[in-house]
Amino acid sequence: MHRISNFAHIPNCVDATPPVAPKGTAVQHFCMDLQARSASKCELDGERNSLAPASCLYFRASRAIQNAAQRCPKGTGIGKAHKHSFRPCLIWFCVWLVTVPCCALSASETDQAVPQDPQKFHLFLLAGQSNMAGRGEIEAQDLEPDSQVVTLTQDGRWRPAIAPLHFDKPKMVGVGLGRSFALEYVKDHPGVTVGLIPCAVGGSAIDAWTPGGFHEQTQSHPFDDALKRIEMVRGQGVFQGVLWHQGESDANPSSAPAYEAKLAALIDRLRSALDAPELPFIIGQLGDFPGKPWDSERLRVDAAHKRLSHIVSRCEFVHARGLSDKGDQTHFDAASYRELGRRYYQAFERLSQGSAARLIQLQRIWDAAPHNAFTDLIRFQQRWYCVFREGQKHVSADGALRLIASSDGQSWESVARFENPQADLRDAKLSVTPDGQLMVLGAGAWHQPTVATHQSFAWFSQDGRDWSEAEAVGEPNYWLWRVVWQNSKAIGWGYRTGGESKREVRLYESADGKDYLPIVEATYDQGYPNESDIVFMENGFAFCLLRRDPFAGDRGHALLGRALPPYREWQWRELPQRVGGPAMLALPDGRIVAAVRLYDGHTRTSLCWLDAEQTQLHEFLRLPSAGDTSYCGLVWHEDRLWVSYYSGHEAEAGKFGTAIYLAQVSLP
C-alpha cells in the first residue's frame, strides 16, 4: 500500500491506491482541507482542459494531511491513537469523495493528442544517468500541465509533461531538467509542441550506453531501450536534439581515461540512429558541491565534456556553476534542476543561432615546431599564404615567423622564415600594398631591452619568395598590431608596451607601409587596450574591434569603435564580453564576421557576427579548438569563409603543443 509521502510519484488515477487514513483529531481538519483544496482544483482544471492528474490530487492530499497535523493538539495527530478518533472509514470516504470526480475528469490524461504535422512536433531525447532522470523534490509548480509540452510514457503514450518524467527508479524519481528546458523552448517557438523522450537510467555508466550494454541495478539495457523508444515515435515528429547528463559513474580510475572516446562514439551512434549527423548534442556539467571536492577522475570526466564540446560539431557544454545539491552531495535540488534546464535551452539556442553555418573542411597544415601560433591568411597572386610564429613555447627567445604557401589550400610548403637573434618575433600580419607587394608586419620583443621593449618590423616581396630586409616601422614601444589598406594608405592601431607605462592606443597612417605617423593620439586609455582589427565598409564607415584586458580595476571588456573619414574622431562602446586576438572581415553582403577567443569559462576559437548597431557579438560557430588557441586570419574566397588559426586540442606530447589549422566554412 502506498504511503502518502509517495503520492506525488503515482502516475495516474487508474493505478493509484487510496492513502492510509490518518488517525486522531487531524481527521476532521484533513477532510475539510482536502475536500476544499481538491474540489476547487478540479473545478479549475475542468474549466481549463479537463485534466486533473491523480498525482496532483495525492500531492494535495499529502499537503492537507500535513496542514491538519500541524493544527492537532499536542500529543495527537497523524499516526497517533486518540480516544476521540473518527473511524478510519471516514477518511476513506473523504478521500473517495474527492477522488472519484477528479479521476473522472482526468480519464483522458494518459493519452494526449499531438500535432499531426511532424514539423510542428519537436522531439528531444533525455539521456544519461540520475541527474538527467531527476531526483528533486516535486512541488506544485512541477505538476501544472502545459498543452505544448508532452512526455513519452514507459509504454509509449504521450501525456502532459508533469513531474516526474522518468521511471528508471520509481521510488526515487522526481524533478529533473527536461521540463524546464521544454517550457523555455515553447516560449520561443509558438505553434510548436515539444515531445520529451525520457531514457535516462540512474547509476548507468557509459559502457551501459553501448549496443547490448547492461545496467545491473535496473536490469535494463539503456542504449538498446533508447533505440526502442526512438522507434516508438519515429515519423511522428522531428528530432531536434539530445540532452545528456552523465559521468558520475565513470569518475573512477578504471573508467575515466577512456570516457571521452566512449562518449564521442555514443554521440555518433545516436546521430546515426536518428539519421541526423548534425543533431545538436547538449552536455551538462557534473555537480560541484561544497563538502565534496572533485578528485582527479572527476576533473578528467569534466575535461572530456568540455573538450568534446569543442571538437565535435554541433555539441555544446552547459556549466553548473552556482547550483546546489539536495543534501546528498550528488544530485541537484529541485530549484537547481529547473535552472539547469533553462541553461540547457540557452546552450541549444547558441547552437541554433549558428545552425546555418557549417564547417565544411578542417585541415592541420603545420605542426613542425613545439609551439606554432598567431596566424594570418591571405590570397596573393592566385596562391594561399599563411604566416605564424614558431618557437619552443608561447613566449620564448627563439620566436621566429614562418611563411607557408599553397596553390590549392591542401598541400603547403615553407617559402620564408624571418628571424632576429636579438628579439622574439611575434604576431605577423599579411597585406598587399597598393603597388602589388606582399607585406609581412610583425613585432619583436627585445631580449635585452634598453629604452624600448618592443619594435614593429615589416618585410616586402614581389613574388612571396624573395624578401626584403626587415625595416623598423612605427614608434618604439607602440606595437603596430595590424594595418589595413584604405584609399592607398595603411591604417592601423598601435598599443603602448613597456612595462609600467601608460596603457593607451594610437592610430597610425602610412602611404608606403614603412613610414608611419600618428593621426589619433593616445585614445582610449581605460583598462589595458591592445590587439585590434579594422574593417572599412563601402560607404567609408570604419569599425574597430579592440581588445582590452583587466587593468587597474577595469573589467576588460572589448570595445567597438566607429568613425567616418578621415578617421580622426572615434566613438567607442563597450561590448558585453572579453575577446582575444580579434580579426574581422566585411562580407560582400555587408555583414561583418569577427573571429575571436572568448573568455567565458570555455576556451575556444569562435566565429561571431558583429552587430554594430547593438554593439553585440553573436557566436555562430565554434571551431574545433581548446587550450592555447585563436588568432585567426580570414579570407572570403569562392563563396566560403577560409579561416587560419592555431589550437592545442590535438597536442602530441614530445612533438607539438599547438598546431596551425585551416578551416573552410559555409555561411548562410
Side-chain angles (χ1 to χ4, degrees):
M1 183 174 292
H2 295 282
R3 294 286 177 184
I4 288 182
S5 60
N6 290 330
F7 286 165
H9 305 314
I10 298 177
N12 55 62
C13 62
V14 176
D15 301 322
T17 303
V20 175
K23 300 178 182 179
T25 57
V27 170
Q28 196 169 16
H29 294 302
F30 166 71
C31 288
M32 295 170 59
D33 198 357
L34 177 59
Q35 189 167 12
R37 287 168 177 262
S38 301
S40 62
K41 182 65 178 176
C42 288
E43 181 181 359
L44 177 62
D45 284 343
E47 291 175 354
R48 183 187 306 156
N49 55 17
S50 299
L51 293 178
S55 54
C56 295
L57 171 65
Y58 289 118
F59 177 84
R60 293 191 294 274
S62 66
R63 287 288 186 261
I65 292 175
Q66 293 171 9
N67 292 340
Q70 291 172 359
R71 295 196 292 266
C72 288
K74 185 176 181 181
T76 66
I78 299 171
K80 297 277 188 181
H82 193 273
K83 63 182 179 180
H84 299 299
S85 296
F86 288 82
R87 293 173 59 86
C89 62
L90 179 59
I91 286 296
W92 291 97
F93 175 76
C94 291
V95 173
W96 176 84
L97 197 63
V98 296
T99 300
V100 170
C102 286
C103 285
L105 287 172
S106 62
S108 63
E109 184 213 13
T110 54
D111 291 303
Q112 178 159 322
V114 298
Q116 295 299 306
D117 182 357
Q119 297 300 319
K120 295 183 179 181
F121 193 25
H122 293 184
L123 307 178
F124 289 89
L125 199 71
L126 311 181
Q129 55 183 108
S130 56
N131 268 323
M132 177 56 73
R135 299 294 188 255
E137 181 179 353
I138 296 174
E139 300 177 6
Q141 62 180 297
D142 308 306
L143 299 170
E144 292 293 334
D146 187 295
S147 61
Q148 288 181 264
V149 182
V150 297
T151 186
L152 191 69
T153 64
Q154 189 171 11
D155 58 358
R157 294 178 293 173
W158 294 110
R159 70 166 175 84
I162 59 172
L165 304 181
H166 277 79
F167 38 78
D168 57 311
K169 296 181 178 180
K171 294 183 179 180
M172 302 175 68
V173 291
V175 173
L177 63 90
R179 173 180 155 89
S180 58
F181 169 88
L183 292 175
E184 292 297 311
Y185 188 94
V186 297
K187 288 179 185 177
D188 292 339
H189 297 79
V192 164
T193 295
V194 169
L196 300 174
I197 304 172
C199 298
V201 179
S204 59
I206 193 69
D207 283 341
W209 290 88
T210 57
F214 181 68
H215 183 238
E216 188 172 353
Q217 287 182 14
T218 56
Q219 296 291 296
S220 66
H221 299 81
F223 180 76
D224 295 343
D225 293 343
L227 294 187
K228 292 176 182 177
R229 293 176 64 71
I230 289 171
E231 292 305 317
M232 287 180 182
V233 300
R234 191 179 293 277
Q236 295 183 32
V238 179
F239 276 94
Q240 300 292 326
V242 177
L243 311 188
W244 175 263
H245 199 290
Q246 190 273 341
E248 293 91 345
S249 293
D250 291 278
N252 57 72
S254 62
S255 301
Y259 181 79
E260 180 179 324
K262 292 180 178 181
L263 180 54
L266 172 63
I267 295 173
D268 287 341
R269 284 197 302 272
L270 286 175
R271 287 175 169 175
S272 295
L274 293 165
D275 194 24
E278 293 293 314
L279 186 72
F281 195 95
I282 316 296
I283 301 173
Q285 187 175 35
L286 305 184
D288 187 6
F289 306 122
K292 190 177 182 180
W294 283 6
D295 55 21
S296 60
E297 284 74 31
R298 186 160 289 222
L299 288 169
R300 189 162 188 170
V301 169
D302 183 66
H305 287 158
K306 292 176 179 176
R307 179 177 163 87
L308 287 173
S309 71
H310 298 152
I311 65 176
V312 175
S313 67
R314 310 280 288 147
C315 185
E316 189 66 57
F317 177 80
V318 179
H319 72 80
R321 293 191 298 270
L323 302 184
S324 304
D325 69 294
K326 61 182 289 186
D328 61 1
Q329 297 182 333
T330 300
H331 300 102
F332 298 102
D333 61 20
S336 294
Y337 277 122
R338 298 185 197 105
E339 170 60 21
L340 192 58
R342 290 188 284 269
R343 293 182 186 181
Y344 267 72
Y345 177 67
Q346 292 167 3
F348 179 83
E349 278 296 282
R350 290 196 295 271
L351 288 179
S352 298
Q353 289 172 2
S355 61
R358 187 164 60 93
L359 180 62
I360 297 174
Q361 182 177 335
L362 180 68
Q363 182 184 4
R364 190 169 76 210
I365 60 175
W366 199 266
D367 58 15
H371 192 272
N372 311 271
F374 318 123
T375 80
D376 200 15
L377 184 70
I378 202 169
R379 289 278 295 177
F380 176 67
Q381 296 179 354
Q382 306 304 311
R383 301 192 78 199
W384 290 103
Y385 288 85
C386 180
V387 68
F388 51 90
R389 177 192 180 272
E390 58 183 17
Q392 290 295 316
K393 296 185 299 183
H394 188 101
V395 177
S396 58
D398 64 336
L401 304 179
R402 173 79 66 180
L403 182 69
I404 60 177
S406 172
S407 59
D408 59 4
Q410 304 297 319
S411 301
W412 293 81
E413 62 172 340
S414 176
V415 294
R417 192 173 191 269
F418 308 100
E419 304 173 347
N420 189 321
Q422 298 177 330
D424 172 13
L425 296 183
R426 308 180 63 82
D427 298 283
K429 305 296 185 293
L430 295 168
S431 64
V432 178
T433 66
D435 62 357
Q437 295 187 84
L438 183 58
M439 173 181 167
V440 173
L441 175 69
W446 298 115
H447 300 326
Q448 296 180 337
T450 53
V451 177
T453 60
H454 294 78
Q455 175 64 56
S456 298
F457 294 96
W459 297 262
F460 300 86
S461 173
Q462 296 286 348
D463 59 7
R465 289 188 175 274
D466 295 323
W467 288 86
S468 69
E469 295 295 323
E471 296 195 34
V473 298
E475 298 178 271
N477 282 350
Y478 277 88
W479 191 325
L480 194 56
W481 186 255
R482 184 195 299 269
V483 297
V484 180
W485 294 89
Q486 174 71 357
N487 296 329
S488 298
K489 291 184 179 180
I491 300 177
W493 293 94
Y495 73 89
R496 183 72 177 267
T497 61
E500 299 301 321
S501 60
K502 187 177 182 180
R503 309 294 185 177
E504 63 184 27
V505 291
R506 291 180 177 177
L507 186 63
Y508 290 89
E509 183 180 86
S510 172
D512 59 6
K514 300 176 183 179
D515 297 318
Y516 290 84
L517 294 175
I519 60 173
V520 177
E521 294 275 1
T523 189
Y524 215 94
D525 56 2
Q526 299 177 32
Y528 178 19
N530 47 85
E531 303 162 359
S532 63
D533 197 6
I534 302 175
V535 292
F536 293 94
M537 312 305 290
E538 287 187 358
N539 60 4
F541 222 118
F543 295 101
C544 173
L545 183 57
L546 178 64
R547 171 181 175 172
R548 286 193 303 160
D549 290 326
F551 182 77
D554 187 272
R555 59 184 178 178
H557 284 192
L559 296 173
L560 179 65
R562 62 191 70 201
L564 287 170
Y567 312 115
R568 267 60 172 177
E569 300 290 336
W570 288 79
Q571 297 177 338
W572 298 95
R573 294 180 182 175
E574 186 177 272
L575 281 92
Q577 65 266 82
R578 286 184 64 197
V579 305
M584 293 195 295
L585 180 68
L587 300 179
D589 62 6
R591 293 179 296 171
I592 300 175
V593 174
V596 295
R597 172 174 175 165
L598 292 177
Y599 293 81
D600 58 3
H602 314 303
T603 304
R604 64 194 182 277
T605 296
S606 294
L607 299 179
C608 306
W609 296 116
L610 174 64
D611 184 344
E613 293 302 317
Q614 300 297 321
T615 317
Q616 294 281 342
L617 285 176
H618 300 289
E619 184 179 21
F620 67 82
L621 187 64
R622 174 182 299 185
L623 296 176
S625 54
D628 194 0
T629 186
S630 192
Y631 293 76
C632 300
L634 301 174
V635 174
W636 182 256
H637 179 63
E638 295 181 345
D639 294 326
R640 290 183 182 180
L641 180 66
W642 298 65
V643 186
S644 66
Y645 69 103
Y646 82 98
S647 175
H649 70 278
E650 292 183 328
E652 296 183 16
K655 294 184 179 180
F656 64 90
T658 57
I660 307 300
Y661 295 86
L662 181 64
Q664 297 181 44
V665 178
S666 172
L667 296 180

